[in-house]
Amino acid sequence: MNDKFVIGLDYGSDSVRAVIVNTSNGEVKGSHVFWYPRWKKGKYCDPVSNQFRQHPLDHLEGLEETIREVIKESGVPSGQIKGICVDTTGSSPMAVDKQGKPLALSPEFAENPNAMMVLWKDHTAIKEADEINELARTWGGEDYTKYEGGIYSSEWFWAKILHVIREDEAVAEAAYSWMEHCDVITAELIGSDDPLEVKRSRCAAGHKALWHESWDGLPSKEFLSKLDPRLADLRDRLYTNTFTSDLPAGNLSGEWARKLGLSTDTVVAVGTFDAHAGAVGGEVTENTLVKVMGTSTCDIMVASHEAIGDNLVKGICGQVDGSVIPGTVGLEAGQSGFGDVLAWFKNLVVKPTAELIRASNELDDAKKEALINEIDRQLLIKLSEEAIQIPLSDTAPVALDWVNGRRTPDANQALKGAVMGLNMGTDAARVFKALVESICFGSKKIVDRFREEGVAIDAVIGMGGVAKKSKLVMQTMADVLNMPIKIATSDQAPALGAAMYASVAAGIHPSTEAAIAAMTNGFDKVYEPIPENVAVYKELYAKYAEFGAFVEGKKTAALADQ
Ligand SMILES: Nc1ncnc2c1ncn2[C@@H]1O[C@H](COP(=O)(O)OP(=O)(O)O)[C@@H](O)[C@H]1O
Ligand SMILES: O=C(CO)[C@H](O)[C@H](O)COP(=O)(O)O
């Protein structure tokens, strides 16, 4: 057998997943998940202040373990493994030194959260994002936000950097450059020692760093200096050109070839973001909305240059040439909180329960931890089983899905979640059901915005942890959108998409479209809307919209006296 194989790596928010894939038929010969140990302990985070940082050691340990494990599991000879591609969350930037190494890998900054990866969901930079939006609208020059939906988010590159350099003089001084997570890992694999030489991700730059070829790359130094002179200086130590992920970033370094038991002939593709790789793994085509549903949700579409023309789609996460399928325009929207909204509720119940179990004298410590882990594992399933039994006609509460702010439509990370309509009969299952409905209503707001902006949506594909794990969420989504939802077979669609990019970068397939056709894993389920549910959710959606307008301050008479 002389089949050629590639490896796709998908760095999610809680774990990194790898798959090794046969490029001739998409057969997944091995997969492995590595949960970030420091992140799992909540280190370097402060949810109350919306601070979420990750230590790069979590990522490097996961890099080595996942690749070694999938090679071992597959039994594929190293000589047949031709390429690797890395997708990560974003915008998740890190301050790096002159060699492109994250500052937190140096002893001086090893415990400093500002020297670590500022995870996409970290919203400490709301003020900075507001400044960028205000300046973009008023400075008299180019509106650099126009290809990113017209509203810059605290989740993104420049806002995060500006916040950190204001907070931490030492990091500001020591940071030679800043790199997105996907570029850091790619640079590590190819043994780069110069961040200015690394082929930076088009996807990351276009969707999160205000990059566009029409203004020669990044925003001008004049614009940046109005925010902070140090940003203007930094521009010289970032990048001008960006690259799509069907292209090679370099070859595996000798160090990593030895660590992984691979050849230095192994090509490493330019990095990308998880959702966009997921769309490729899920066979994205024009007029199809791909929903990558994990802790958050990303909604990805592709449009031909002819179809999109000069249309600037308002309030989404941007439209970028080549961010998904090179030669087409990638469109991104999404929700800052999706599975996380449900995890938040789960933790609300589990945390005090766990503390009581630990404080009790009934069980030994090992049995206590086993019981707590079982409750943590089972609670979402249990709540889902109970929620499915609640008749839709039951006046369940109405919730807003903004526990992590609102990403789209119209980013507003200052927003918070809310629930109304509680009474003495409101049990955990009813609140959970309201939260499930809220994240589906939030998805409908995005579909409505795309259509209002002239982007046709004829089909919906679901993938990611929630799509594979929750029948309740997916049926509710089909009912709320009143559209069938196809579920991608692969439970690692982003990693599969990264593998597809790797096969093109390694010269095995001639294009991303050809790689999709050859390596797709297809779909294994379709959720069809249930007409009677569609009617009920139409009314509930109107309540959700009114409640949202009220909470966001656009009070309406209908709600004001409730
Ligand atoms: N049974 C379930 N029902 C609903 N949501 C679930 C269930 N199991 C896990 N989740 C959610 O899935 C999300 C993790 O999604 P996943 O795609 O695995 O991770 P990531 O977002 O890091 O890529 C978590 O937010 C978790 O709350
Ligand atoms: O916005 C993104 C991509 O553009 C983030 O990577 C995405 O939201 C992260 O989500 P998850 O934790 O579910 O992988």
Side-chain angles (χ1 to χ4, degrees):
M1 174 180 82
N2 287 318
D3 285 343
K4 295 172 182 171
F5 294 80
V6 288
I7 292 172
L9 277 157
D10 169 36
Y11 279 86
S13 295
D14 299 330
S15 63
V16 52
R17 294 73 74 142
V19 292
I20 184 165
V21 186
N22 187 327
T23 58
S24 63
N25 59 14
E27 183 190 2
V28 177
K29 292 289 283 182
S31 68
H32 187 75
V33 181
F34 174 88
W35 299 91
Y36 310 134
R38 297 163 190 80
W39 170 258
K40 196 170 170 61
K41 291 179 191 146
K43 293 188 78 172
Y44 316 117
C45 297
D46 177 18
V48 174
S49 66
N50 272 315
Q51 174 179 306
F52 295 96
R53 309 291 164 89
Q54 286 185 352
H55 202 295
L57 284 176
D58 273 351
H59 309 140
L60 292 175
E61 291 162 12
L63 178 64
E64 183 166 353
E65 177 175 310
T66 53
I67 293 182
R68 290 170 67 92
E69 285 302 316
V70 295
I71 294 172
K72 190 165 75 178
E73 182 186 334
S74 71
V76 170
S78 62
Q80 290 177 243
I81 300 171
K82 301 298 183 185
I84 298 172
C85 180
V86 178
D87 80 61
T88 68
T89 67
S91 175
S92 301
M94 280 176 252
V96 297
D97 62 21
K98 269 197 150 191
Q99 284 68 48
K101 303 297 179 196
L103 296 188
L105 295 181
S106 63
E108 179 190 357
F109 292 104
E111 292 300 311
N112 180 343
N114 290 320
M116 298 176 187
M117 184 179 91
V118 186
L119 186 65
W120 64 272
K121 72 195 282 189
D122 179 301
H123 291 145
T124 51
I126 288 177
K127 178 177 171 300
E128 288 76 12
D130 290 345
E131 285 179 47
I132 291 169
N133 284 311
E134 181 59 23
L135 184 64
R137 276 191 283 274
T138 60
W139 80 300
E142 183 68 74
D143 175 4
Y144 290 113
T145 68
K146 68 185 191 182
Y147 292 108
E148 289 186 16
I151 302 176
Y152 201 70
S153 166
S154 62
E155 295 186 348
W156 299 347
F157 190 75
W158 290 110
K160 289 178 179 318
I161 295 172
L162 184 55
H163 177 77
V164 168
I165 64 173
R166 285 176 171 171
E167 285 287 299
D168 195 317
E169 194 59 41
V171 168
E173 276 298 303
Y176 175 73
S177 185
W178 286 75
M179 294 174 76
E180 281 286 354
H181 188 192
C182 62
D183 292 328
V184 167
I185 301 295
T186 301
E188 177 65 34
L189 283 170
I190 63 175
S192 164
D193 61 1
D194 180 354
L196 307 192
E197 292 303 313
V198 175
K199 288 184 176 173
R200 305 286 186 112
S201 166
R202 165 71 59 79
C203 181
H207 281 293
K208 316 288 181 181
L210 300 173
W211 181 92
H212 196 271
E213 60 186 355
S214 65
W215 47 69
D216 190 30
L218 296 172
S220 68
K221 293 180 80 165
E222 182 192 356
F223 176 83
L224 294 171
S225 63
K226 291 178 185 298
L227 292 166
D228 189 307
R230 293 173 293 180
L231 290 189
D233 295 343
L234 172 64
R235 189 185 191 279
D236 294 329
R237 303 190 304 278
L238 285 171
Y239 54 88
T240 300
N241 300 321
T242 61
F243 302 85
T244 50
S245 295
D246 56 333
L247 299 173
N251 277 36
L252 198 60
S253 70
E255 178 196 355
W256 278 97
R258 277 187 302 281
K259 269 185 190 172
L260 303 173
L262 288 173
S263 156
T264 52
D265 293 337
T266 307
V267 172
V268 181
V270 171
T272 192
F273 280 169
D274 50 359
H276 308 71
V280 167
E283 292 185 53
V284 65
T285 52
E286 273 205 85
N287 302 334
T288 297
L289 177 71
V290 176
K291 294 185 72 62
V292 187
M293 307 157 92
T295 58
S296 69
T297 275
C298 281
D299 297 305
I300 304 292
M301 299 189 72
V302 292
S304 65
H305 287 277
E306 297 69 35
I308 199 86
D310 297 332
N311 186 11
L312 296 175
V313 182
K314 292 185 197 59
I316 65 167
C317 300
Q319 53 201 81
V320 180
D321 178 27
S323 66
V324 183
I325 296 181
T328 70
V329 177
L331 301 170
E332 178 190 348
Q335 293 163 264
S336 300
F338 195 78
D340 255 358
V341 173
L342 309 180
W344 160 78
F345 186 63
K346 176 190 77 166
N347 296 333
L348 205 66
V349 174
V350 169
K351 190 167 181 292
T353 311
E355 285 160 10
L356 286 171
I357 290 170
R358 289 192 181 105
S360 79
N361 301 317
E362 301 303 315
L363 298 165
D364 66 44
D365 285 355
K367 285 198 171 64
K368 287 178 185 175
E369 289 313 311
L371 177 57
I372 292 165
N373 288 335
E374 187 60 12
I375 291 170
D376 190 71
R377 244 194 322 275
Q378 291 299 325
L379 188 64
L380 287 177
I381 296 166
K382 166 74 178 161
L383 288 170
S384 300
E385 288 164 355
E386 289 188 13
I388 280 173
Q389 303 306 319
I390 299 169
L392 279 192
S393 56
D394 194 317
T395 50
V398 176
L400 296 177
D401 54 312
W402 298 337
V403 286
N404 203 9
R406 183 181 66 213
R407 173 184 291 171
T408 59
D410 305 328
N412 182 344
Q413 303 303 355
L415 290 172
K416 307 285 182 203
V419 182
M420 74 169 180
L422 301 171
N423 64 25
M424 292 303 286
T426 308
D427 58 9
R430 276 172 176 73
V431 174
F432 180 73
K433 179 173 174 290
L435 292 171
V436 167
E437 289 162 354
S438 76
I439 59 178
C440 294
F441 292 147
S443 295
K444 178 166 169 56
K445 276 286 183 184
I446 292 168
V447 168
D448 290 352
R449 171 60 61 90
F450 269 125
R451 287 172 168 156
E452 286 155 15
E453 292 288 306
V455 179
I457 297 176
D458 303 333
V460 179
I461 290 170
M463 62 178 62
V466 177
K468 300 301 278 185
K469 295 169 186 170
S470 178
K471 291 185 174 63
L472 171 66
V473 170
M474 296 321 298
Q475 185 57 56
T476 305
M477 187 71 78
D479 294 340
V480 167
L481 298 184
N482 192 15
M483 292 182 80
I485 301 179
K486 290 196 299 186
I487 304 299
T489 304
S490 171
D491 57 9
Q492 299 299 355
L496 175 63
M500 291 171 175
Y501 282 129
S503 73
V504 184
I508 298 164
H509 290 300
S511 68
T512 304
E513 293 91 331
I516 291 172
M519 297 168 68
T520 181
N521 280 211
F523 303 95
D524 62 2
K525 188 172 180 56
V526 180
Y527 288 89
E528 297 286 351
I530 301 166
E532 53 271 28
N533 294 357
V534 170
V536 173
Y537 281 130
K538 197 164 181 303
E539 285 178 33
L540 259 182
Y541 179 62
K543 271 192 172 180
Y544 165 87
E546 284 278 355
F547 187 24
F550 175 77
V551 167
E552 194 167 6
K554 301 172 200 146
K555 288 183 180 59
T556 59
L559 257 173
D561 55 7
Q562 269 199 9

